[in-house]
């Protein structure tokens, strides 16, 4: 059997996010978030579900730490729920909510598991949304204050910080497509939000450096590989624009202090432009220690006038490689994405902060067989090895996710976890993929 061996210091991990896993949305003084509000909207989430209970990790922390310990991961990526710490988005800290994260971080460190913290994984305090949300520059100030308090609280304990998870989703899924909270559908609003997120990121990185915090700080973007349907220039350019909308729109300001001209030109056709003020681009242009990449799927793309913002029609690769929400498995796209990113921004350290397979797994006799997920992860790890061989600095891999969580607008209709959650009892059942990943981490190599 062929196999690959990843670097000895490779950071093996799993990931979750607060609203998706914690539950306890009304406990210990937590304030409402935009996702609490969005889930109440008829038709917003499949089956009218919400993260009110999620996996109840807020009350089952010891059980979930045990799952991590037995799995053998070196790191756990989680997020802090902003409204647990500052319920109204203001400056009065909620100590009761903070205690949960103190216990979480302390427990991880006791077990030799590195905490990797995402400051913003989409749960904006509703009170800030009521005042304009990310369209209001005051939210930037509120976020930086929240981040500084977390840096002070966990300085030296958390050594890897992520400012934002998937700005694309917050800005465009939330404010242009209406699929995510707060459910708006306005292109200029979405562009404004993206700009303010980038500015909040930059100012947070500045605060981290100026505060002398120990460790590293970066951001996470989501990427899809859009492969040209043909060699026709129109197809190639349409795919480049579609990829740039998810990648370069967020990373060019961070690394180059400017927006990509190609995307600016296309947005101009729609009479839209980012609200740049003096000093904004300089404020965004802050050195990061790493980039996190969330990668799940890829497509073919061809030029089709009027199809989407960038005249790009996405076509699935092959029907037999689709998961339950029609994401095509395209592991080669991860390799292409990593190489393209490194060619554009240089040899910056990269972590795969999310990657996983969507399915509707059922438990039977205390077991869940999910060979499809094992095969999916194997193939993506092989592409990571390929990228590393070509000089890409991939430093770690985080499987999404530890368990079947609340998957945003899909609710609980699908799962990506290594652990199955019974929606009636919330019992945890380790899947075949859990044991396979455990063995892979222990061995340090992957049998293909």
């Amino acid at each position: 059997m062929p196999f690959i061996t990843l670097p000895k210091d490779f950071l093996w991990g799993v990931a979750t996010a607060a609203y998706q896993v914690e539950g306890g949305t009304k406990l210990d003084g937590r304030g409402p978030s935009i996702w609490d509000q969005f889930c109440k909207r008829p038709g917003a989430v499949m089956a009218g579900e919400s993260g009110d209970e999620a996996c109840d990790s807020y009350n089952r922390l010891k059980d979930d730490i045990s799952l991590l310990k037995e799995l053998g991961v070196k790191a756990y990526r989680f997020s802090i729920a902003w409204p647990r710490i500052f319920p109204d988005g203001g400056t009065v800290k909620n100590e009761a909510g903070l205690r949960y994260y103190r216990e979480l971080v302390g427990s991880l460190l006791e077990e030799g598991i590195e905490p990797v913290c995402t400051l913003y994984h989409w749960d904006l305090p509703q009170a800030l949304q009521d005042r304009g949300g990310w369209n209001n520059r005051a939210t930037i100030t509120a976020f930086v204050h929240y981040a500084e308090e977390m840096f002070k609280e966990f300085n030296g304990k958390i050594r890897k910080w992520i400012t934002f998870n998937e700005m694309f989703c917050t800005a465009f899924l939330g404010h242009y497509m209406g699929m995510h909270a707060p459910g708006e559908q306005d292109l200029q609003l979405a562009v404004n939000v993206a700009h303010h997120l980038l500015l909040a990121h930059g100012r947070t990185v500045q605060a981290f450096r100026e505060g002398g915090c120990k460790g590293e700080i970066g951001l996470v973007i989501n990427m899809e590989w859009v492969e040209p349907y043909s060699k026709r220039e129109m197809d190639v350019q349409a795919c480049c624009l579609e990829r740039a909308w998810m990648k370069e729109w967020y990373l060019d300001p961070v690394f180059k202090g400017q927006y990509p001209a190609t995307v600016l030109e296309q947005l101009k056709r729609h009479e839209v432009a980012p609200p740049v003020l003096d000093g904004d681009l300089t404020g965004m242009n802050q050195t990061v220690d790493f980039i996190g990449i969330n990668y799940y799927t890829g497509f073919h793309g061809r030029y089709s006038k009027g199809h989407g913002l960038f005249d790009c029609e996405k076509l699935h690769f092959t029907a037999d490689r689709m998961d339950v929400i029609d994401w095509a498995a395209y592991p080669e796209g991860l390799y292409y994405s990593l190489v393209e990113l490194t060619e554009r921004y240089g040899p910056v350290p990269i972590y795969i902060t999310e990657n996983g397979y969507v399915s509707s797994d059922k438990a039977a006799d205390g077991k869940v067989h999910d060979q499809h997920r094992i095969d999916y992860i194997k193939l993506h790890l092989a592409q990571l090895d390929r990228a590393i061989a070509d000089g890409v600095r991939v430093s770690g891999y985080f499987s999404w996710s530890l368990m079947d969580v609340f998957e945003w607008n899909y609710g609980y209709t699908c799962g990506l976890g290594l652990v199955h959650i019974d929606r009636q009892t919330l019992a945890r059942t380790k899947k075949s993929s859990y044991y396979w990943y455990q063995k892979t981490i222990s061995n340090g190599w992957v049998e293909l």
Side-chain angles (χ1 to χ4, degrees):
M1 276 290 204
F3 68 92
I4 58 171
T5 302
L6 291 162
K8 288 184 178 180
D9 59 351
F10 197 72
L11 194 63
W12 295 98
V14 287
T16 63
Y19 189 72
Q20 295 179 268
V21 74
E22 286 178 2
T25 55
K26 296 178 175 64
L27 297 179
D28 296 331
R30 177 191 178 277
S33 77
I34 56 173
W35 271 93
D36 295 304
Q37 188 67 26
F38 184 68
C39 290
K40 296 175 183 177
R41 184 182 300 185
V45 177
M46 289 186 180
E49 293 167 329
S50 75
D52 284 353
E53 186 176 51
C55 302
D56 196 34
S57 287
Y58 192 76
N59 294 308
R60 302 174 187 235
L61 181 57
K62 290 183 179 179
D63 293 342
D64 294 341
I65 293 292
S66 295
L67 287 172
L68 292 166
K69 180 182 179 182
E70 185 179 344
L71 184 56
V73 291
K74 297 179 181 178
Y76 177 52
R77 179 187 170 217
F78 65 95
S79 74
I80 294 175
W82 186 355
R84 281 205 196 280
I85 311 304
F86 295 102
D88 64 355
T91 58
V92 179
K93 194 187 306 180
N94 176 31
E95 289 292 330
L98 189 54
R99 280 198 297 270
Y100 171 75
Y101 298 105
R102 287 175 180 148
E103 184 180 354
L104 170 59
V105 172
S107 298
L108 291 171
L109 292 174
E110 285 177 10
E111 299 298 347
I113 300 169
E114 181 173 8
V116 178
C117 179
T118 305
L119 287 164
Y120 188 80
H121 204 126
W122 306 353
D123 43 3
L124 180 73
Q126 181 62 38
L128 291 178
Q129 182 63 35
D130 293 342
R131 298 194 288 273
W134 286 110
N135 193 40
N136 183 350
R137 284 185 175 238
T139 301
I140 299 171
T141 302
F143 179 78
V144 175
H145 170 74
Y146 151 63
E148 287 178 320
E149 289 299 310
M150 295 304 93
F151 295 153
K152 292 174 187 174
E153 175 69 36
F154 295 107
N155 189 26
K157 295 179 180 177
I158 298 175
R159 302 185 68 91
K160 285 186 175 62
W161 294 91
I162 294 163
T163 54
F164 288 91
N165 179 75
E166 299 182 352
M167 294 183 189
F168 171 86
C169 294
T170 296
F172 288 95
L173 294 190
H175 295 83
Y176 173 56
M177 300 176 191
M179 297 166 59
H180 282 190
E184 301 291 341
Q185 293 180 300
D186 184 300
L187 181 57
Q188 182 62 65
L189 175 62
V191 172
N192 293 352
V193 166
H195 183 75
H196 294 158
L197 291 170
L198 282 161
L199 196 52
H201 161 78
R203 290 183 181 173
T204 301
V205 172
Q206 283 182 300
F208 183 83
R209 307 286 186 217
E210 291 169 1
C213 299
K214 300 173 184 177
E216 303 174 318
I217 191 166
L219 75 163
V220 165
I221 65 166
N222 54 311
M223 294 175 65
E224 297 172 352
W225 184 257
V226 189
E227 178 74 17
Y229 184 72
S230 76
K231 293 183 180 179
R232 292 184 305 170
E233 184 63 22
M234 295 175 75
D235 285 351
V236 173
Q237 288 304 314
C239 291
C240 285
L241 277 168
E242 196 70 26
R243 296 198 304 270
W245 186 32
M246 299 186 77
K247 173 173 61 43
E248 292 159 31
W249 188 253
Y250 304 97
L251 294 183
D252 272 19
V254 171
F255 285 89
K256 301 184 177 186
Q258 62 187 23
Y259 281 108
T262 54
V263 182
L264 282 172
E265 184 62 30
Q266 290 298 312
L267 290 176
K268 187 177 179 181
R269 290 172 47 203
H270 298 275
E271 300 182 344
V272 167
V276 181
L277 301 182
D278 287 346
D280 281 3
L281 294 176
T282 301
M284 297 173 182
N285 186 204
Q286 304 296 317
T287 301
V288 292
D289 299 304
F290 62 87
I291 302 172
I293 299 299
N294 295 350
Y295 179 88
Y296 292 94
T297 186
F299 305 87
H300 277 123
R302 65 184 177 190
Y303 175 80
S304 178
K305 188 170 177 59
H307 206 109
L309 283 178
F310 305 108
D311 302 326
C312 183
E313 181 184 12
K314 292 180 180 179
L315 306 168
H316 291 309
F317 283 87
T318 55
D320 63 335
R321 299 176 73 190
M322 309 294 288
D323 61 28
V324 297
I325 58 172
D326 290 341
W327 284 355
Y330 186 47
E332 296 90 345
L334 177 57
Y335 167 80
Y336 298 139
S337 296
L338 292 171
V339 169
E340 183 178 70
L341 187 149
T342 298
E343 287 175 347
R344 188 171 184 89
Y345 303 110
V348 59
I350 296 169
Y351 293 94
I352 306 305
T353 38
E354 290 183 26
N355 177 245
Y357 186 84
V358 188
S359 58
S360 298
D361 301 319
K362 306 296 182 184
D365 299 323
K367 297 180 180 179
V368 180
H369 298 292
D370 59 341
Q371 185 63 41
H372 43 277
R373 180 166 290 106
I374 295 171
D375 294 339
Y376 177 97
I377 297 175
K378 277 185 182 181
L379 292 171
H380 284 80
L381 289 174
Q383 295 300 321
L384 283 193
D385 183 61
R386 184 181 172 199
I388 292 170
D390 279 345
V392 178
R393 295 179 62 187
V394 182
S395 302
Y397 175 91
F398 291 74
S399 177
W400 184 272
S401 60
L402 172 62
M403 61 187 76
D404 292 337
V405 300
F406 174 77
E407 285 296 344
W408 307 112
N409 54 311
Y410 294 104
Y412 301 101
T413 60
C414 58
L416 292 92
L418 304 177
V419 176
H420 175 267
I421 301 294
D422 184 296
R423 290 314 313 161
Q424 300 303 313
T425 67
L426 300 181
R428 278 86 163 124
T429 301
K430 298 158 194 167
K431 303 180 186 180
S432 298
S433 58
Y434 177 97
Y435 295 108
W436 175 85
Y437 196 49
Q438 178 190 60
K439 182 179 177 181
T440 297
I441 295 170
S442 177
N443 291 341
W445 51 269
V446 183
E447 184 179 282
L448 300 177

